[in-house]
C-alpha cells in the first residue's frame, strides 16, 4: 500500500518568519518522513495583493529556497509552484459553483484582509478559500498541516468536498483532516496578533542575531516589569512564550525563576532568546545562501515538483470532469 498523502501551501507574500517556521515548516519536515508529501508555493493566492510581477517572481524563488533550507527534502517531498499546475484554477471554478456565498461571508480572514487593504478589496480576496479548497482537493490528501489561522478555511474546504461527493455521487475526494503543529499560533512581537508577514510584527527566519536582538529590544513583555527591579509573571510574557520553542527546559526554568524574582532583567532574557534563535536560524541562513548561489538547482527542483504535481492533479481532474459532465474526463 502507498503512503497516505499530505498537502500544504505557503504564500510568497513576504519574508518567511518564525511563525511560518514553527507553525508550518517544522511540521512539514517531520511529515515528509511518514507521508507522500506535496508542498506548494501558492503564488496565485498572492495575486490578491496585486504584487509587482518582478517582486512576485523573486518572492516565489526566495520562499522555495526558505522551504528547502528549513529541511524540506525534494527527494522525499514534492515541492512545486501553484501556477505551474493549471488544474488549480480549473478546480477552483468548479468548487466555486459548489460554495454558498453565505459560507464565504463568514470568513474572518476576508474581513481582516479587507481592513488591511481597503483600497483593493477584490473578488479574489473573497473567493480565496475556494482556491484553497481546490489546492487541497486536487491532491486528495488525507491530512493537511496548517496553523490555527487556517482552521476556518479548512472547515470550509471539508464542507465543499463533502458537497462535491454528495452532489456527484462519490468517493472522488477523501475528507482531509487538519494536522496541527507544536506551535499553531505564534504571536507577533506586538504580543497582540499572530505573527504575520504583512503586519510588521515578525522575526524573520533569515535575520541575523543582531537584527533579531534589535527587534526583541522593542518587543512587548510583561507590562508589570516597568523597571529592572519589578517582578514579573513569565506566563503572561510573549518573550517567555518564544523561549518555549527555542530554549532548553533548564533555561526556561531559569528564565521563569529569574523573571518572578526580578533577578533576571528583560534585556538578558531577550539576549538568551536571540542567541538560542540564532542556533536554529544560522544554519538555515547558511543553507539558503548556498541555494541562492545555485539558481539552476532550485529551478530543477521546482520543475520536477511541478511535473509530478501536474500528473497527480490531472488524474484527479479526469475523474472530476467525468463526474460533473464536462470535457476532458474519461467518458
Ligand atoms: N503566526 C503563526 N503561527 C503559526 N502558524 C502560522 N502560519 C502563518 N503564520 C503563523 C502558518 O504558516 C503557513 C503558511 O502561511 P501563509 O504564508 O501561507 O499564510 P498566512 O497565514 O497568510 O501567513 P502570514 O504570515 O500571515 O501572511 P500574510 O501576512 O501575507 O497573510 C500556514 O500553515 C499558516 O497557518
Amino acid at each position: 500500500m502507498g503512503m497516505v498523502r499530505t498537502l500544504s501551501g505557503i504564500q510568497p507574500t513576504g519574508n518567511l518568519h518564525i511563525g511560518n517556521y514553527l507553525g508550518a515548516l517544522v511540521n512539514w519536515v517531520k511529515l515528509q518522513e511518514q507521508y507522500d508529501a506535496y508542498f506548494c508555493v501558492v503564488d496565485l493566492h498572492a495575486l490578491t495583493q496585486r504584487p509587482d510581477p518582478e517582486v512576485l517572481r523573486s518572492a516565489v524563488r526566495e520562499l522555495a529556497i526558505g522551504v528547502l533550507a528549513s529541511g524540506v527534502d525534494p527527494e522525499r517531498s514534492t515541492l512545486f509552484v501553484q501556477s505551474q499546475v493549471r488544474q488549480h484554477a480549473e478546480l477552483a471554478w468548479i468548487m466555486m459553483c459548489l460554495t454558498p456565498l453565505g459560507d464565504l461571508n463568514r470568513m474572518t480572514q476576508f474581513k481582516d484582509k479587507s481592513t488591511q487593504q481597503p483600497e483593493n478589496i477584490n473578488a479574489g480576496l473573497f473567493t480565496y478559500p475556494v482556491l484553497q479548497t481546490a489546492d487541497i482537493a486536487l491532491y486528495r490528501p488525507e491530512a493537511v498541516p496548517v496553523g490555527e489561522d487556517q482552521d476556518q478555511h479548512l472547515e470550509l474546504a471539508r464542507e465543499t468536498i463533502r458537497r462535491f461527493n454528495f452532489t456527484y455521487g462519490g468517493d472522488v475526494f477523501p475528507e482531509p483532516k487538519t494536522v496541527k503543529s507544536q506551535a499553531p499560533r505564534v504571536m507577533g512581537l506586538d504580543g497582540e496578533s499572530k505573527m504575520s508577514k504583512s503586519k510588521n510584527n515578525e522575526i524573520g527566519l533569515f535575520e541575523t542575531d543582531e537584527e533579531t536582538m534589535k527587534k526583541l529590544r522593542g518587543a512587548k513583555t510583561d507590562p508589570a516589569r516597568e523597571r529592572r527591579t519589578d517582578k514579573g509573571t513569565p506566563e503572561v510574557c510573549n518573550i517567555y512564550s518564544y523561549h518555549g520553542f527555542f530554549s532548553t527546559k533548564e533555561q526556561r526554568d531559569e528564565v521563569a525563576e529569574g523573571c518572578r524574582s526580578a533577578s533576571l532583567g528583560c534585556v538578558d532574557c531577550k539576549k538568551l532568546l536571540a542567541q538560542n534563535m540564532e542556533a536554529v536560524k544560522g544554519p538555515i541562513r547558511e543553507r539558503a545562501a548556498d541555494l541562492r548561489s545555485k539558481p539552476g538547482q532550485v529551478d530543477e527542483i521546482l520543475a520536477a515538483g511541478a511535473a509530478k504535481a501536474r500528473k497527480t492533479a490531472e488524474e484527479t481532474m479526469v475523474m472530476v470532469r467525468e463526474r460533473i459532465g464536462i470535457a476532458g474526463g474519461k467518458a
Side-chain angles (χ1 to χ4, degrees):
M1 226 177 77
M3 278 165 123
V4 173
R5 195 171 290 153
T6 186
L7 168 120
S8 199
I10 190 156
Q11 286 196 83
T13 43
N15 297 326
L16 276 175
H17 52 70
I18 60 159
N20 299 132
Y21 177 72
L22 298 167
L25 297 175
V26 169
N27 217 10
W28 291 11
V29 173
K30 273 197 216 133
L31 290 171
Q32 68 184 354
E33 303 296 334
Q34 319 150 30
Y35 286 88
D36 175 20
Y38 283 68
F39 300 126
C40 180
V41 177
V42 291
D43 55 346
L44 296 178
H45 285 275
L47 294 179
T48 55
Q49 297 182 22
R50 212 171 293 159
D52 172 85
E54 274 318 310
V55 171
L56 179 60
R57 251 188 286 278
S58 92
V60 166
R61 166 172 292 276
E62 263 302 289
L63 187 54
I65 287 173
V67 171
L68 292 166
S70 298
V72 166
D73 175 0
E75 298 291 323
R76 290 194 174 87
S77 303
T78 306
L79 176 66
F80 65 101
V81 179
Q82 182 188 30
S83 61
Q84 293 193 340
V85 184
R86 307 286 189 220
Q87 289 85 345
H88 285 257
E90 183 185 3
L91 188 56
W93 174 254
I94 293 165
M95 291 305 193
M96 225 171 301
C97 297
L98 285 165
T99 309
L101 214 54
D103 287 7
L104 289 179
N105 266 326
R106 286 202 301 273
M107 297 296 117
T108 53
Q109 184 174 293
F110 172 67
K111 289 170 197 154
D112 287 351
K113 294 279 171 190
S114 308
T115 319
Q116 267 176 42
Q117 51 182 76
E119 73 302 334
N120 181 19
I121 307 178
N122 57 73
L125 215 50
F126 187 66
T127 55
Y128 182 110
V130 188
L131 178 57
Q132 197 172 342
T133 300
D135 299 336
I136 296 168
L138 210 45
Y139 300 93
R140 289 167 281 131
E142 294 197 8
V144 178
V146 284
E148 210 170 81
D149 55 328
Q150 296 300 322
D151 274 349
Q152 204 185 25
H153 289 175
L154 251 282
E155 195 43 47
L156 181 89
R158 273 190 288 271
E159 274 166 30
T160 314
I161 282 170
R162 271 199 291 273
R163 198 170 295 117
F164 182 100
N165 284 341
F166 180 77
T167 310
Y168 295 109
D171 46 1
V172 174
F173 301 117
E175 250 182 64
K177 64 174 192 296
T178 306
V179 184
K180 279 285 161 58
S181 73
Q182 41 138 25
R185 185 177 165 83
V186 178
M187 296 303 282
L189 287 165
D190 50 9
E192 277 159 21
S193 48
K194 74 150 196 151
M195 191 172 285
S196 198
K197 298 188 207 88
S198 53
K199 290 221 172 104
N200 206 17
N201 67 357
E202 84 280 17
I203 296 180
L205 190 58
F206 297 141
E207 278 168 11
T208 62
D209 50 348
E210 289 96 49
E211 287 166 332
T212 299
M213 190 55 209
K214 206 167 152 201
K215 285 196 177 171
L216 287 175
R217 273 184 203 283
K220 191 135 180 218
T221 52
D222 176 358
R225 294 202 79 183
E226 274 178 24
R227 285 176 302 265
R228 169 70 180 77
T229 49
D230 290 333
K231 294 181 179 173
T233 310
E235 290 73 19
V236 303
C237 180
N238 196 27
I239 299 296
Y240 184 67
S241 79
Y242 297 152
H243 274 289
F245 303 119
F246 292 97
S247 304
T248 63
K249 162 95 176 65
E250 209 175 37
Q251 288 173 328
R252 290 200 303 272
D253 290 348
E254 272 173 30
V255 165
E257 168 47 28
C259 176
R260 281 194 197 99
S261 63
S263 61
L264 180 77
C266 286
V267 174
D268 287 327
C269 169
K270 289 173 176 176
K271 275 188 186 154
L272 176 66
L273 177 64
Q275 185 187 312
N276 290 347
M277 280 186 174
E278 178 58 15
V280 174
K281 291 191 291 143
I284 294 176
R285 214 168 44 239
E286 273 172 34
R287 283 195 292 274
D290 183 49
L291 285 161
R292 267 183 219 114
S293 71
K294 300 172 186 156
Q297 189 182 332
V298 177
D299 287 342
E300 268 173 37
I301 291 170
L302 293 176
K308 185 161 170 228
R310 270 195 295 270
K311 189 165 173 289
T312 307
E314 184 55 18
E315 280 164 15
T316 304
M317 286 314 299
V318 168
M319 285 192 277
V320 167
R321 294 181 199 120
E322 188 188 351
R323 291 290 167 102
I324 67 176
I326 61 169
K330 259 189 287 178

